[in-house]
Structure formats: C-alpha cells, structure tokens
Amino acid sequence: YSNIEPLEPDGFREQVSKLFAEWYRICELPGGSDAASTHYISQLHQNGLLKGDEMTDRFFRVLMELSVAHCLSSEVINSSGLQSPHQMQNLSFLAIDIYAKLVFSILKVEQGSSKLFPLSKILSITVKFIQKDSEEKKNSFNARPYFRLFISWLRDLLSPEPIGDGVNFQILTAFAGAFHNLQPLKVPGFSYVWLSLVSHRNFMPRLLIGNAQKGWPHVQRLLVDLFQFLEPYLRNAELAVPVHLLYKGTLRVLLVLLHDFPEFLCDYHFTFCDVIPPSCIQMRNIILSAFPLNMRLPDPSTPNLKIDLLPEIREPPHILSEVDAALKLKLMKTDVDEYLKTRQQGSSFLAELKQRLLLSPSEAASSGTRYNVPLINSLVLYAGMQAIQQLQARTPHGQSAGNTVPLAVFLVDAALDIYQTLILDLDTEGRYLFLNAVANQLRYPNNHTHYFSFVLLYLFAESNQEIIQEQITRVLLERLIVNRPHPWGLLITFIELIKNPRYNFWNRSFIRCAPEIEKLFESVARSCG
Amino acid sequence: DLGAIGDNLTGSAINSGAMHNQLYNLQMLEAAYHKLPQPKDSERARTYIPRHPAATPPSYPQVQLPMASNPAFWERLSMHSYGTDTMFFAFYYQQNTYQQYLAAKELKKHSWRYHRKYNTWFQRHEEPKVTTDEYEQGTYVYFDFHVGNEDKQGWCQRIKTEFTFEYNYLE
Amino acid sequence: LGIDLTTLGLNLNSTENLNKTFGSPWSDEPAKGDPEFNVPKCYY
C-alpha cells in the first residue's frame, strides 16, 4: 500500500457500488422493508464491512463518494444561465437520502446488540470526508449534499422513537463534536450550511433544553467558533457581501437565543465579549441585553427610580465562563490576588500593569489591536468580583453594595486603585478597551451591574482630564445610538450621568464639540426623558 | 480616534500568515455564497407508502395529490358533518402518515378525545355528571365499528351512557 | 448603527418560542406549517 492513503483492494469500489444499488432496491420496496433491511445489514456484518476498522472507513467513504457524486451530477444548471446567489440549482437528494437511511438502519439494528455501532465513528469518517472534499475542490466545493445528509440524520436519530432511550443527549453531543470539527475556520466553504445545522430547530434547542444544561457548553463552543471566524472581518464597519450574509444569519440566531434562551446568553456573556470585536456594538448589545425570563425590568426612565432598592440588585449574576482564565494564562492571577488582599502601596504591581496588558508586535498585527483584550476583560471583571465580595462582607447584611454604603467604604477597595491606574496610564486605545470591559458588565439588575455602574460614574466624577470623561461618555453613547436592543444597566448609568448634577454633565465642553454632536445630545436627552 | 479601533490593515497584517488565511477564508465563503442551503434541501416529501399496494388502472391517480398533505384542506373538510367520517377514515386507514396526524388534529379541534385503552374516539354528548382529577363520567358519543352480519357491518356512531373516561387513558 | 432587528423576520414579541419555527439563518420566512409530525404509538 502507498504510505499516504492505503489503496483500495481491487474491485472494492465496484462491490460497494453493487451493494449500494441493492440497498436502493430494498428501500424502494413498497410498504416498508424491515425484514429485508435487517437481513441486508447482517450481510454487511458477515462481509466484515462493519467491524469499525480500516475496511469500514473505506466502505463508508465510497458510499459517501457515490452519494455526493450522484447528487452533484444531478445539478440542473438553470436555463437562465447566469445565476443569482439565491436562484439555486435543483439537486436530486435521492442517493443521499438512501445513504442516510442505510446509516440510520445500521445504527438502529445495532441498538439491540451490546456494542452500539459508534455513531461517532460514522461522524468522524463524514467529517474527514468533508474536510478533504473542501480542500480538494476549493471554490467548486458544494456543501448542500452534506446539509441534506446531516438534516436527515438529525431528524431520524433524534425523533421521539430514538435508537435506544436516553441516548438522545449522546447523539446531540456527538453531532456537536462533529460540527465543532467542521467549524468555519476549518472548513470556510461549509460556513453557511454549518450555521444552518447548528441553529436547526432539531438541534440547538434540544441541546439547550433539559439535560440539566449539560448541553450549554457545546452550544457555547459552537457560537465561539462562529465569532472567531467572523472576528477579523467584523473589525471594520463595511463587510463584504458574503460576510454580511453570515453576520445577518448570526444576528437571527442570537435573536432566537435572546427570545427563547436568554439565561444561556446571560451566563456566557463574558466568553462572547472576548471574541466579539469592540466595533461590533449592536451584536454585543443583543447578548448584554439578555435577562432571566422570570425577571421584570423597571423602566429605566422612571423618575426617581431607586436602583439600590431593587431586590435583584444585591444578587450576583450567574456566570458560567471562567473569568480568571486569561489572568492565569498570563501568570497574573497571583499578583492580582496579592494586591487585592494587601494593597501594598510600594509594590510595582500597579506600575507594571499597563505593560503586561500589551501584546507582542506579531500578536498585535494578527489581532488588530496592541492590547490583549481578553486579559483586560478578565482583569476588570475578576478584580470587581473580589471587590464586591469584600464590600458585601463589610456592609451590614441586607444592605446593597450601592450608595447606601458610606462612600468611604466603597473607596477603600483595591480594585478601584487598579481601575484608576489603568484609566490614567493607558493610552487612548487602551483606555477605550478598559472602559469597554467595564461597560460590558452593565446588564440586567444584579450586583455586577450596580458595582460597575458606580465605577464608571466614579471615574467620570473623579478624573481631572476631560479626555477621560469624553471617552467614558463615548463608550456609553456609542452603545446607545445603535439600533435596539440596549442593555438595562447601560441605560440607567447614562441617565444617572446626564441627570445627576454631581457629574455636571451639561457643562462639559465636549458635548458641544461639533454641531451634530450637540444635536445628538439634545435628542438623547429628550429620549431619556 | 477615541472610539472603536478600526482594523490596522497595515503591511505587517497583510503579509502575516493570519491575513493569508483570512483572504483564503473569504474566497471560500464567497464561493459558498452561491451555493446556499435551500429550504427544500431540508424538507422530506411526505410520501405515503401504501401498506398493501394494488395495481389500479393508470387513469386513476397513482400518487397522492399534494392537497392531501395540506392542513388547510383537512380543516375545511372537517367543518362539514360528513367530514367527521372522513377524518375517522383517514385515522383508521392511513396509519402512521401525515394524513392520520392531520385527521387526529381536526378531531381534537372538534372536541373528540382519543381513549388509549379502547382505541376509540369519544365526544361528550352533554356536560359530564361527575368530574374528578382522575376521571369524568357521563353520556358520550363514540365512533365504533358495527359488527352485525355481513351487509350490516360498518362504521357508526353510538351513544354510551354512564361511561367513565379515566384521564390516564386520554391521549 | 446596526440594523433594525425587527426586519429580520422574527416576531420578537411572540409569546411562543421562536426556535420551533425557525426556518433558517438565511431567510426571514418561518419554517412552513408543521415542520415535523409524530404520531403517538397508540394511534398505530
């Protein structure tokens, strides 16, 4: 055999082709063909084709080649010649459906025996086949046959009469693993089919409902795969047409999640904010606007709304992301913990902070910014969480970590030192990213929203540099002027900023730095009541 | 310059391997853009496979009319009194098909309830005399098969008084 | 400034779940009719 790909034994392909034709005849038998198909599958076993070895791989590979080739050869080029993207070739899925049914029948027959023929084996053969097909065919790669194949399997394998009770979840996670290996960064030509499959009503909701949320990490990983592919293209406002379609498709999927599974978006907001570029404001707002289904949000423009008296404001938000992962990765966590505990004035910790947040020149080139954004996000949220814990430990039970706490107590915390150091040491870009990390915590009523709203307003009030106040305003405003939705915590913070005379907002010169800016603030002031 | 950082597509970015991948990915995406998955790609024709096919003259329709799979057709049909028998026919003679599913949906809409033990559809003839959490009792109409002598056989509707419909048999 | 998300074909005020009739990320049409039907075993 050649050392790259073991050649098939002579005549293997013809043999498989004959077997496939025989299976087709069985499927065509009227009135169902249970007996015939069971017999056929036991024959496959006897021929040694289903042992799960190299021969098995070859067997399924040839079947896929035959099915996909049949499907694509049936492509009827539209008589209208030039095709608009959505005027689609009509494909015959007959062979694909027959192949899907063969796999389903093999798995169903196996259900009785001890060794459930590993679905994961079939999926890994399928994934390798698609990866190879896309690398070989490049621009002429067509993913639609595979879309049909996966949809058929999802429908048959996950129907209420699953192949063995309670294996639904294992089947779902097997598909999730396959889709992760077919993610857009690995198979870019598969991207549209990939998102159609991942968001399909037979797949994504089933992973998110029940199973004690064990399916959530799988959906989260797939969404991160998607954002990582989009990220380089989304850094700029103008998108190429194919990217814009993928972006709009992503928005639709996020809206379904926002409407049906908001807690999922709530609990993973930190992970998603790491992979969504700062310029992608509306998409990030969708995630940050999610709030628990059973929560009712008070209207932010209610006059004299007492935020600190809201019962939810004292509760910490549920976060499933690993907030301190980036800090650990950069070996900063120990130093941060040390500083938060001791607040050693003399330590060089604060002085070195900015340097540690910068990327190396090569990393900076590929990530489109000079700063390690996930590290900034991790530092800001992790330090804040420690501060909130300390504040709640210190304040008499039942009081919120809000302005009912004497400000002196609030100022005592080391996290604030870190924030003040960053806001003074960082350059314009770094400060913008830092302020974004803070603003990403302004969500539904919880004690993070409350604390970070305080932090922003405090930094605005205490800074003596107008440029800092301008940037804080900018970070809030650019999240408000985009189309809805807008996170509740963002609205209450901005309303507090423009209404509370303590911040002297309307006398700041930058709100009149240009006529259209002046008009903008007037309209914002009106819309915020 | 205080806000969102545009992408610094400076020379270094373009030459670095990362940019090459991005260009390649964009080209592949562009090609895929012309081969989007279509709604019909994920629809399976709901073909009805007759259990016991019989050869019929070619002039007879050899495949079901698409109308038979249209929910609106069944909704309109069940409006008529004769429509109920048609629903029962589809239910008892086109089993495990979309037509059976649609017929059952229409029967439920007209407050027929399926009894899983007797495999029979019941409809309240009047308000039940007794209702508890477990069952209801009263007079019902039910759809039955009359097993009289040969020429008398056939589907019919009967009245059943003092019937107890236990809810754990309700589908 | 983003886009008006109500123009993407999803009824965000619906009291029903959207995922059941979510047709595709590429179209603003909901999935047609009863996308799937299953007949209870007792109907067989």
Side-chain angles (χ1 to χ4, degrees):
Chain A
Y1 288 133
S2 69
N3 60 1
I4 301 172
E5 180 96 8
L7 292 177
E8 283 153 11
D10 285 348
F12 182 77
R13 187 170 292 266
E14 290 66 30
Q15 188 203 356
V16 173
S17 176
K18 284 197 192 89
L19 283 171
F20 195 38
E22 193 186 328
W23 173 252
Y24 171 67
R25 275 189 294 280
I26 289 178
C27 293
E28 287 302 284
L29 291 176
S33 49
D34 292 1
S37 59
T38 308
H39 173 68
Y40 177 88
I41 288 161
S42 62
Q43 289 287 87
L44 294 181
H45 273 291
Q46 281 160 33
N47 296 352
L49 291 167
L50 298 182
K51 284 187 198 148
D53 57 6
E54 173 53 33
M55 182 72 90
T56 304
D57 289 15
R58 262 193 237 117
F59 174 62
F60 283 109
R61 253 200 319 268
V62 171
L63 285 174
M64 282 197 71
E65 270 169 32
L66 293 170
S67 319
V68 172
H70 176 275
C71 174
L72 295 180
S73 64
S74 69
E75 184 174 329
V76 175
I77 302 297
N78 274 15
S79 52
S80 64
L82 193 67
Q83 269 154 15
S84 75
H86 299 296
Q87 222 177 347
M88 250 335 120
Q89 314 86 339
N90 282 321
L91 300 177
S92 151
F93 294 116
L94 177 65
I96 291 284
D97 290 350
I98 295 288
Y99 171 63
K101 187 170 176 180
L102 173 57
V103 167
F104 174 63
S105 305
I106 290 172
L107 292 172
K108 207 167 65 165
V109 162
E110 288 301 318
Q111 160 197 0
S113 72
S114 56
K115 58 176 181 52
L116 178 66
F117 189 82
L119 167 66
S120 52
K121 174 82 181 170
I122 298 243
L123 289 176
S124 75
I125 295 167
T126 309
V127 165
K128 277 191 219 118
F129 187 96
I130 294 172
Q131 286 170 341
K132 188 160 170 282
D133 191 21
S134 72
E135 273 142 31
E136 283 169 1
K137 301 234 181 87
K138 293 208 177 356
N139 302 55
S140 54
F141 170 68
N142 191 329
R144 287 176 65 194
Y146 306 109
F147 176 64
R148 177 74 176 199
L149 184 60
F150 278 114
I151 286 289
S152 302
W153 282 340
L154 282 175
R155 177 192 279 114
D156 295 339
L157 289 172
L158 290 168
S159 67
E161 306 87 27
I163 48 167
D165 289 333
V167 292
N168 262 6
F169 184 67
Q170 284 168 281
I171 291 170
L172 285 163
T173 50
F175 276 97
F179 294 156
H180 177 60
N181 291 323
L182 291 169
Q183 63 176 280
L185 273 176
K186 292 187 177 177
V187 192
F190 197 70
S191 302
Y192 296 113
V193 160
W194 184 86
L195 187 54
S196 299
L197 291 168
V198 165
S199 63
H200 196 270
R201 56 186 176 277
N202 272 357
F203 179 71
M204 186 172 75
R206 289 170 179 244
L207 262 178
L208 292 171
I209 295 168
N211 298 303
Q213 296 180 359
K214 288 205 307 268
W216 284 25
H218 297 274
V219 177
Q220 180 248 349
R221 184 171 71 162
L222 292 168
L223 272 182
V224 168
D225 292 343
L226 175 61
F227 290 137
Q228 283 175 334
F229 177 78
L230 281 168
E231 197 269 338
Y233 308 107
L234 295 185
R235 290 177 203 156
N236 304 310
E238 62 285 343
L239 301 178
V241 170
V243 176
H244 190 264
L245 180 69
L246 192 55
Y247 169 73
K248 260 177 84 173
T250 306
L251 291 180
R252 282 197 179 93
V253 174
L254 289 176
L255 288 173
V256 171
L257 289 169
L258 178 66
H259 184 277
D260 296 356
F261 307 102
E263 287 85 354
F264 169 76
L265 292 181
C266 293
D267 295 3
Y268 282 116
H269 88 289
F270 182 76
T271 309
F272 297 142
C273 285
D274 268 357
V275 288
I276 291 177
S279 54
C280 221
I281 295 170
Q282 184 180 37
M283 184 147 90
R284 187 181 51 206
N285 269 355
I286 295 176
I287 290 164
L288 300 179
S289 301
F291 58 89
L293 271 175
N294 59 358
M295 190 179 275
R296 290 290 158 268
L297 302 188
D299 179 338
S301 55
T302 312
N304 305 322
L305 176 64
K306 286 274 166 274
I307 311 291
D308 351 69
L309 303 183
L310 295 174
E312 302 89 352
I313 208 75
R314 275 193 300 284
E315 299 306 317
H318 195 229
I319 293 185
L320 288 176
S321 312
E322 207 189 332
V323 173
D324 56 1
L327 283 176
K328 282 183 199 160
L329 191 68
K330 290 292 178 186
L331 310 175
M332 277 179 72
K333 185 164 185 303
T334 318
D335 298 346
V336 173
D337 283 336
E338 187 58 28
Y339 184 77
L340 291 174
K341 218 183 354 268
T342 63
R343 276 189 89 203
Q344 264 164 334
Q345 290 312 335
S347 84
S348 61
F349 170 73
L350 291 179
E352 292 159 2
L353 212 40
K354 167 182 175 177
Q355 201 50 38
R356 297 173 83 172
L357 298 177
L358 283 164
L359 286 172
S360 68
S362 62
E363 287 170 317
S366 65
S367 54
T369 168
R370 286 179 298 119
Y371 286 89
N372 182 334
V373 174
L375 186 59
I376 293 176
N377 293 341
S378 175
L379 172 63
V380 166
L381 182 51
Y382 179 73
M385 288 165 72
Q386 309 315 312
I388 292 165
Q389 272 168 21
Q390 285 174 19
L391 279 170
Q392 289 199 322
R394 241 180 280 140
T395 49
H397 184 66
Q399 273 195 329
S400 74
N403 56 11
T404 48
V405 172
L407 216 45
V409 172
F410 170 68
L411 301 189
V412 138
D413 81 10
L416 213 64
D417 296 348
I418 292 175
Y419 301 147
Q420 278 179 304
T421 304
L422 292 177
I423 200 115
L424 293 169
D425 286 4
L426 289 171
D427 63 6
T428 308
E429 179 182 3
R431 203 162 40 232
Y432 174 76
L433 297 170
F434 160 70
L435 291 169
N436 257 331
V438 177
N440 288 348
Q441 308 318 317
L442 304 177
R443 298 192 290 147
Y444 60 90
N446 62 55
N447 65 12
H448 288 194
T449 297
H450 200 216
Y451 176 78
F452 284 103
S453 178
F454 248 88
V455 166
L456 267 187
L457 294 168
Y458 173 77
L459 292 174
F460 185 96
E462 292 303 306
S463 70
N464 47 17
Q465 296 178 41
E466 178 126 303
I467 184 172
I468 292 177
Q469 286 144 353
E470 184 171 348
Q471 272 200 285
I472 291 172
T473 306
R474 155 94 195 214
V475 161
L476 293 172
L477 195 66
E478 71 180 11
R479 293 165 181 243
L480 281 167
I481 58 176
V482 295
N483 273 288
R484 291 183 306 146
H486 302 121
W488 181 85
L490 174 69
L491 284 160
I492 56 129
T493 305
F494 190 73
I495 289 169
E496 176 68 9
L497 177 65
I498 64 176
K499 279 192 167 173
N500 186 328
R502 178 161 176 267
Y503 305 108
N504 191 24
F505 184 79
W506 297 103
N507 297 326
R508 306 289 173 181
S509 64
F510 57 78
I511 65 174
R512 275 177 283 281
C513 64
E516 61 272 33
I517 292 292
E518 190 158 8
K519 276 205 257 345
L520 175 68
F521 277 108
E522 278 157 18
S523 71
V524 163
R526 273 196 303 279
S527 67
C528 286
Chain B
D1 64 341
L2 310 181
I5 312 294
D7 191 11
N8 54 354
L9 275 180
T10 53
S12 59
I14 288 192
N15 300 335
S16 75
M19 206 52 215
H20 162 67
N21 282 340
Q22 283 168 25
L23 231 40
Y24 173 78
N25 290 348
L26 196 53
Q27 286 161 355
M28 293 305 109
L29 197 68
E30 170 94 40
Y33 176 74
H34 297 283
K35 291 166 261 185
L36 290 178
Q38 297 303 301
K40 59 177 176 297
D41 292 3
S42 61
E43 277 153 21
R44 173 146 53 193
R46 275 180 276 269
T47 45
Y48 167 62
I49 300 172
R51 285 263 170 249
H52 308 291
T56 52
S59 58
Y60 289 11
Q62 295 302 314
V63 287
Q64 273 194 339
L65 296 177
M67 176 186 69
S69 294
N70 182 334
F73 165 70
W74 294 83
E75 278 155 27
R76 222 179 35 253
L77 197 61
S78 69
M79 294 301 190
H80 304 279
S81 60
Y82 61 76
T84 310
D85 285 7
T86 314
M87 297 300 132
F88 286 123
F89 175 78
F91 181 81
Y92 285 110
Y93 286 93
Q94 293 188 290
Q95 309 215 339
N96 193 19
T97 64
Y98 193 51
Q99 286 69 33
Q100 182 186 43
Y101 167 82
L102 293 173
K105 220 161 87 164
E106 288 310 312
L107 286 167
K108 287 183 185 176
K109 262 190 226 165
H110 293 266
S111 65
W112 288 89
R113 296 285 171 266
Y114 191 68
H115 194 289
R116 280 198 304 216
K117 185 176 171 193
Y118 303 123
N119 291 349
T120 302
W121 289 94
F122 286 81
Q123 188 183 57
R124 286 176 177 170
H125 186 59
E126 61 201 20
E127 277 308 298
K129 295 188 179 55
V130 177
T131 47
T132 72
D133 283 354
E134 283 73 39
Y135 65 87
E136 62 181 54
Q137 207 169 44
T139 303
Y140 295 80
V141 171
Y142 66 99
F143 190 77
D144 197 9
F145 192 80
H146 177 67
V147 195
N149 47 20
E150 198 54 30
D151 62 342
K152 279 266 186 273
Q153 277 202 0
W155 290 104
C156 64
Q157 298 196 13
R158 297 181 196 279
I159 292 260
K160 179 95 179 149
T161 57
E162 303 305 309
F163 177 69
T164 302
F165 198 129
E166 293 166 79
Y167 290 142
N168 60 7
Y169 287 126
L170 169 65
E171 189 287 313
Chain C
L1 297 181
I3 57 179
D4 176 357
L5 296 177
T6 60
T7 61
L8 293 179
L10 295 164
N11 173 7
L12 302 172
N13 297 322
S14 151
T15 51
E16 295 295 310
N17 268 347
L18 298 181
N19 66 73
K20 284 192 173 39
T21 55
F22 182 58
S24 145
W26 320 120
S27 84
D28 36 23
E29 299 295 321
K32 281 206 306 277
D34 293 278
E36 282 313 299
F37 72 94
N38 291 301
V39 172
K41 276 225 184 313
C42 59
Y43 280 7
Y44 280 41

